[in-house]
Structure formats: structure tokens, C-alpha cells
Amino acid sequence: MDAAKPAAPFEYLLRLGDNALVLSQRLSEWCGKGPALEEDMALTNVALDLIGQARLWLSYAGELDSAGAGRSEDELAFLRDAGEFRNLLLVEQPNGSYADTLMRQFLFDAWHALALRELAASADPRVAEIAAKAQKEVAYHLRRSSDLVVRLGDGTEKSRAMMQAALEQLWPYTGEMFQGDALDRDAAASGAGFDPAGLRAPWLDYVGEVLAEATLKQPPAEAWMHSGGKQGRHTEKLGFLLAEMQFLQRAYPGARW
Amino acid sequence: MYAQMVDTGAKRVRAAEEMDADERAFQERIDRGVKIEPKDFMPEHYRKTLIRQISQHAHSEIVGQLPEGNWVTRAPTLKRKAILLAKIQDEAGHGLYLYSAAETLGISRDQMLADLHSGKAKYSSIFNYPTLSWADIGAIGWLVDGAAIMNQIPLCRCSFGPYARAMTRVCKEESFHQRQGYDIMIALCRGTPEQKAMAQDALNRWWWPVVMMFGPPDEQSVHSAQSAQWKIKLFSNDELRQRFVDQTVPQAEYLGLSIPDQALKWNAQRGHYDFGQPDWNEFFEVIKGNGPCNRDRLATRVKAAADGAWFREALVAHAAKHQAPQAQKAA
């Protein structure tokens, strides 16, 4: 690595990698059970993009890991416990109905696209490179999830009610995306990362526009919000997700697959 | 291929003099190797048989996602998880173009799915067996996809154009699937004693169900002759089964695994392996709905369709709302 250029901190990269990994894991739970064959294919596509991004972020994080020098993407994915995960609480929320899954995807995609735009301009060339690749994929994710939110919101009475309920259920998990902490400030100051608070206004603008077209009522922007995922304080749901995902690596330590 | 015991509606093949002029011309086209296209004349039994065969194949792709989906959330590495996700996605894609091929014969996807959900239409017996360990994902790719390719490659030359073209695409992806399955088995067999035991256990459980995938022995296969005449079945069940065994034995040897068949032995005179007969009673029970997972698999698909009804209805409602004003303008 070029010594003159700042490198993103290890934990900062974990946040990016864990978001992609945990959401991909959630989406893969839908395998073969979607509401239409085309949805099975499209959702798997998104899961595949996200797992690809997770691998890039976690591999890079592993290279910079001073504690466990040179941990691989798999060691990071399969051998950390819940408290060491740094993903947003939003992405670990259970799939629920397909309305819940799509709403979670939309709220995240809208943030993800903005975050990657910032990261594509990172002073850390590896971060910029990964973000640029992910940006193209996420532009498609956002187009797809926005389109479905509009069509399902403005579909039948039942679909509107389901999308509205999903929105209200998930809304309190969106605030965390814009709450910066010391790690965010350091990353932003070095030029490797960005200030998450800066994404709030454009996110609200975009989300507000799509929800209006979907005839859905946006909950108040100032509503009370959960937080803690970025610092490793998760909901009860994450432990079960990891127990399932990590089963083989935990049951057969040291085995190669 | 995943179609088994497809009913042709004919107990025996008819000679040319028993056919009317259209049928004779149709059969002559097939004999000359000319593809039948959806708008061409075809006997009603040919059309119905193809609908049964292609939809059974499509249903198998869709139901076949479930035993693998059972392990996708527990795949042992991120790379294996990504490969498995891609494979399952391919299967959904195969289902989609097979349903499209069947639709050219005048049946809707909704009707085919309704027939699957009511139990009227079948899917391959193999997907009614459980995936109990990660090694089963390797065994499915290696053996199940391997057996499927045996049947699908000849079908690329079958008489019905849309089916033949769908098969050409499917085969390219299936051979990748088989390689990834075998690659999982190699890793397990080079791994710890526990991993090797996992691989052997998977082979023990999957071997006979896979041997049965080709369908009953030729002498019990009442519909094969008609399907062969129509060139929608190019090799007999026993021919394909023999090819599969001949191909697979050396692969098992390379892995250091033993095939659970006491009768398996190289026959130098025939130039083929001799092998034992599976328990055909088990096969017929699985076809009747009594396999270990029949109820679960079908219930999962029925639930997915029911849970997704609001979604499909909403998309239709949205399209209707937003197309109506344009249609009025056009009028």
C-alpha cells in the first residue's frame, strides 16, 4: 500500500462488509420461496451481488487487521461472534413477509447508493475501487426496489396496507445509517470515508419522493431511532442468523471446504 | 432430464398405414430430422405428451431449488455460498425457459403451476429425498446433475424445436453444476476423516435414488416406444442408466469412495459395468407421494404461491391502473 495514502480503518471496512454479508444471508433465506419465479431470480441476483461485495470488503479488512494479522474473508465471516459484527440493525431484521423484505431492501438501497457514491471518491484507492464496482450493482438494486415499492404501494388495498406496515416497522432502524461516531469522523477526516450525517437530507428527499409516488405515508423523520449495530450492539435476531450461517465452520474447526 | 414415466396416451406404436395423411406427414418430418415448431401440425397425443414432459422437467427445476436452498444459508465458505446461490438461480432460470417452451404448446404457466400444486403434475422423484449434510450438496451436483445431463444432452436433438433449444442452453449450465458438485466432493475427500465420512454417507444415501432417476427398467416402460418414435426420448432408460454408471464409477474411485452396490463389477466382455437393481418398490412409493420429503416439498411450493398471491395481484392492479388512461387516449 502507498504510505502517503490513508487506509480505511479495519472496523470501518467491517461495517461495509458486514452490511453486505448479513443482508445477503437474509435474502438467501428466500431461495425457492419467492412470490414469482422472476422474483426468485432477481432476489438471488441481489444476494449474489451483495455476497460478492462482502467478500471484497472483508478480504481488504482482513489484510489491515492488526489484531488477528491476516484473517481471511471466511475467518471474518464465520468465526466472529455477534458482538464483533458491525452491520446496521436494519439489515439483520428478519425477512417477514415479502413486503417487509422489499421495504428493508429499499430503505437500505437508498442509503447504500449514496454511501457508495461517497466511497467511490475515497482517498483509499482500494476503497474507491471496491465502491466503484459495487455502485453499478447497487444502482440496479435501488432501481428495482424503488420500482416495486411504487407498484406495491399503489397496487391493491391489501398491498398498500402491507407496505405501509412494513415501512412503519422498519423506519426506526433507519436513523442509525446517519449517526456518525468517532470512527466515522476519523475516516472522514483522513479522506478514506465520509460523514454519514451528510447523507440524511438526500436520503430523505429520495425516499420521500418514492413513498409519495407509492401513495405511502412516510413516518416522521424526527421519530425515535434504534442504534448500536455499528458498534456491535445488535438485536436478538443476529445471533440466530450467525448460528445458522456459521454452523459448519464452528462444528468442524480447522476443516477446509 | 427430470421427466419420468411420461404418459404418451399410447400403449403401442402405430404403423404408418394406421395413421391419417397429416400424421404420416408429421412422422415423416420427424424421421427426416426436421424440427416441429409450435404452429406446425402435431397429433394431439404428441402435444399433450410434450406438455407433460416439459412441465414435469420445469417443475423439477423449481422444486429442485428447495433441497439446495436448505444448505445455502449454511454453506461453509463465502465462495461456496456464492457458487451455490448462482446454481440455484440457474435452476430458476431453467424453470422459466422450460415453462416458456411448454407455453408454446397452448398451456399457461399458471395452469401448469396449478397442476403441480394439486398433485396432478409430477416432478422428479429425486427431489423428495432430504439434504442432511453439506456433502449432499456435493452429491447432488455430482450425481443428480450428472444423471440429468445424461438425458438432456440427447434432448438437444429432440423433435420439438422450442424444447431442443431450451435444452441446449440448460446443458451448458448443467455441466458447470456437475463440476461444482464434484469439486465439493474432492474438497471433502481430501479433508478430515469426518469430512470424508460425510462424503461417503452422502454417496450411500444418494446412489440408489439417482440410479432410479432414469425411470423403471425398459421392459416395464410402456410409453418409451411411442416417445422414441416421436424423438422426444432418444435413448432408453436402461441405456442411459448404464452410461451413467460407467461414467460415475471411475469418478467415485478417484475420490476414494465406494459405491454401495455389492453387484457392481466391470464386465470386460460387455465393456460395461454390471450393477444391481434398485428397490423399485421404493421408486413407485416416492412417485405416489410417499418419499421422505414429498409432503414438505409440495407444501413449501404451495405456501410460497399462496403467500405471494397479494404480490402478484398488486402488480396486475398497478399495471391496470396505469395503463387504463393510455388505452383510453389511444381509443
Side-chain angles (χ1 to χ4, degrees):
Chain A
M1 193 181 53
D2 190 337
K5 292 188 171 147
F10 170 69
E11 274 198 36
Y12 194 77
L13 295 167
L14 284 187
R15 289 178 178 179
L16 297 166
D18 288 347
N19 280 338
L21 175 61
V22 170
L23 186 54
S24 173
Q25 175 73 8
R26 279 291 184 225
L27 295 179
S28 65
E29 293 170 15
W30 273 105
C31 243
K33 298 170 193 151
L37 202 41
E38 288 82 353
E39 283 302 303
D40 271 333
M41 294 179 68
L43 207 62
T44 309
N45 225 20
V46 176
L48 268 170
D49 286 344
L50 289 172
I51 200 171
Q53 294 170 20
R55 293 180 66 189
L56 293 171
W57 291 127
L58 293 181
S59 293
Y60 184 33
E63 289 170 32
L64 301 183
D65 177 13
S66 54
R71 274 191 277 180
S72 68
E73 60 180 40
D74 286 329
E75 285 170 300
L76 288 172
F78 295 98
L79 299 176
R80 278 179 301 149
D81 204 347
E84 297 161 89
F85 270 74
R86 293 290 181 268
N87 58 281
L88 296 163
L89 299 176
L90 177 67
V91 296
E92 73 196 45
Q93 294 312 301
N95 285 339
S97 72
Y98 207 68
D100 299 318
T101 293
L102 285 175
M103 187 56 78
R104 181 186 64 199
Q105 193 68 39
F106 167 65
L107 297 171
F108 177 73
D109 288 344
W111 174 83
H112 203 194
L114 292 168
L116 289 171
R117 196 175 65 188
E118 298 290 326
L119 293 170
S122 170
D124 178 337
R126 281 283 291 280
V127 169
E129 190 189 323
I130 298 170
K133 180 184 180 296
Q135 222 182 345
K136 293 185 196 121
E137 296 166 346
V138 171
Y140 162 75
H141 302 174
L142 180 59
R143 209 165 51 238
R144 181 184 124 75
S145 61
S146 304
D147 175 60
L148 282 170
V149 165
V150 168
R151 291 200 280 160
L152 296 169
D154 185 20
T156 60
E157 259 179 58
K158 178 168 184 176
S159 71
R160 179 185 292 128
M162 287 179 76
M163 295 304 281
Q164 185 67 43
L167 176 60
E168 281 162 24
Q169 171 78 14
L170 293 165
W171 190 255
Y173 295 102
T174 58
E176 189 186 13
M177 299 192 286
F178 313 106
Q179 287 172 8
D181 62 3
L183 186 60
D184 286 310
R185 279 192 292 280
D186 288 351
S190 76
F194 62 92
D195 171 14
L199 304 189
R200 188 163 179 265
W203 184 85
L204 279 170
D205 280 351
Y206 180 81
V207 166
E209 220 172 275
V210 173
L211 293 177
E213 199 188 336
T215 70
L216 295 172
K217 248 188 264 161
Q218 184 193 301
E222 301 310 323
W224 186 84
M225 295 285 171
H226 295 285
S227 63
K230 286 165 69 171
Q231 292 80 29
R233 293 187 314 278
H234 291 276
T235 62
E236 288 179 345
K237 320 294 186 208
L238 185 65
F240 290 97
L241 178 145
L242 296 180
E244 184 173 351
M245 185 177 87
Q246 297 179 338
F247 158 68
L248 282 168
Q249 291 278 358
R250 299 288 191 181
Y252 301 91
R256 295 167 65 93
W257 302 91
Chain B
M1 159 170 87
Y2 296 114
Q4 294 161 329
M5 300 171 64
V6 177
D7 188 351
T8 57
K11 293 284 183 234
R12 67 180 184 89
V13 174
R14 292 190 307 155
E17 54 271 21
E18 296 175 84
M19 298 175 184
D20 65 26
D22 282 342
E23 275 182 90
R24 253 199 311 277
F26 168 82
Q27 188 61 50
E28 278 163 16
R29 278 188 73 177
I30 289 182
D31 295 343
R32 286 203 313 274
V34 179
K35 294 265 181 279
I36 306 300
E37 296 298 334
K39 287 185 176 150
D40 295 340
F41 167 83
M42 62 183 81
E44 193 54 15
H45 280 318
Y46 175 86
R47 195 181 65 82
K48 284 194 170 150
T49 302
L50 270 175
I51 288 176
R52 271 192 287 267
Q53 180 168 334
I54 301 172
S55 68
Q56 202 181 109
H57 188 166
H59 297 330
S60 299
E61 298 282 356
I62 301 312
V63 177
Q65 296 181 93
L66 300 175
E68 294 181 313
N70 187 38
W71 278 92
V72 75
T73 54
R74 291 177 288 172
T77 69
L78 297 181
K79 188 178 170 196
R80 292 280 184 213
K81 193 191 293 288
I83 293 172
L84 185 57
L85 268 169
K87 177 178 193 283
I88 298 173
Q89 189 190 33
D90 284 348
E91 278 149 12
H94 296 174
L96 200 57
Y97 29 92
L98 285 162
Y99 283 128
S100 303
E103 280 181 319
T104 66
L105 292 160
I107 184 169
S108 68
R109 199 205 302 183
D110 284 348
Q111 183 58 51
M112 288 184 267
L113 289 173
D115 290 345
L116 171 68
H117 298 157
S118 72
K120 186 181 160 208
K122 301 290 181 207
Y123 55 88
S124 175
S125 56
I126 197 70
F127 300 117
N128 290 312
Y129 289 87
T131 48
L132 302 179
S133 80
W134 171 250
D136 290 24
I137 301 307
I140 287 181
W142 172 35
L143 302 172
V144 175
D145 291 316
I149 295 170
M150 258 333 145
N151 223 323
Q152 286 168 355
I153 287 176
L155 283 173
C156 298
R157 296 182 283 113
C158 79
S159 63
F160 186 55
Y163 192 28
R165 290 188 286 273
M167 279 301 107
T168 305
R169 245 183 108 173
V170 167
C171 282
K172 284 186 195 145
E173 292 173 350
E174 291 290 358
S175 69
F176 161 75
H177 295 173
Q178 191 194 13
R179 280 202 298 278
Q180 70 80 34
Y182 196 64
D183 190 63
I184 290 175
M185 298 306 276
I186 290 176
L188 293 173
C189 291
R190 287 180 184 162
T192 64
E194 282 167 308
Q195 286 176 299
K196 180 97 186 256
M198 207 183 267
Q200 181 65 57
D201 174 60
L203 176 57
N204 291 349
R205 283 181 292 106
W206 287 93
W207 177 255
W208 290 113
V210 169
V211 169
M212 290 189 258
M213 273 177 72
F214 298 95
D218 291 350
E219 69 269 17
Q220 294 173 33
S221 199
V222 288
H223 301 291
S224 293
Q226 181 61 75
S227 291
Q229 189 190 32
W230 283 334
K231 288 194 185 161
I232 53 177
K233 184 176 177 114
L234 290 104
F235 294 96
S236 80
N237 295 352
D238 287 333
E239 278 175 304
L240 292 169
R241 196 174 356 256
Q242 180 72 60
R243 280 190 198 185
F244 171 76
V245 172
D246 288 347
Q247 174 187 286
T248 308
V249 172
Q251 294 170 347
E253 281 168 358
Y254 178 80
L255 292 171
L257 297 176
S258 49
I259 289 175
D261 179 357
Q262 300 287 328
L264 187 77
K265 198 172 162 235
W266 177 250
N267 182 329
Q269 211 178 358
R270 289 203 306 126
H272 292 292
Y273 283 93
D274 292 336
F275 56 96
Q277 282 294 311
D279 176 359
W280 288 111
N281 185 45
E282 174 181 314
F283 174 76
F284 290 110
E285 287 300 327
V286 173
I287 295 278
K288 271 192 273 175
N290 296 323
C293 299
N294 293 59
R295 281 177 188 79
D296 278 359
R297 298 282 186 253
L298 198 55
T300 302
R301 288 306 310 167
V302 170
K303 184 174 187 301
D307 288 351
W310 72 272
F311 174 90
R312 298 187 300 274
E313 284 158 14
L315 295 190
V316 172
H318 178 83
K321 271 189 227 179
H322 292 267
Q323 274 162 12
Q326 282 164 359
Q328 277 161 12
K329 261 183 250 163

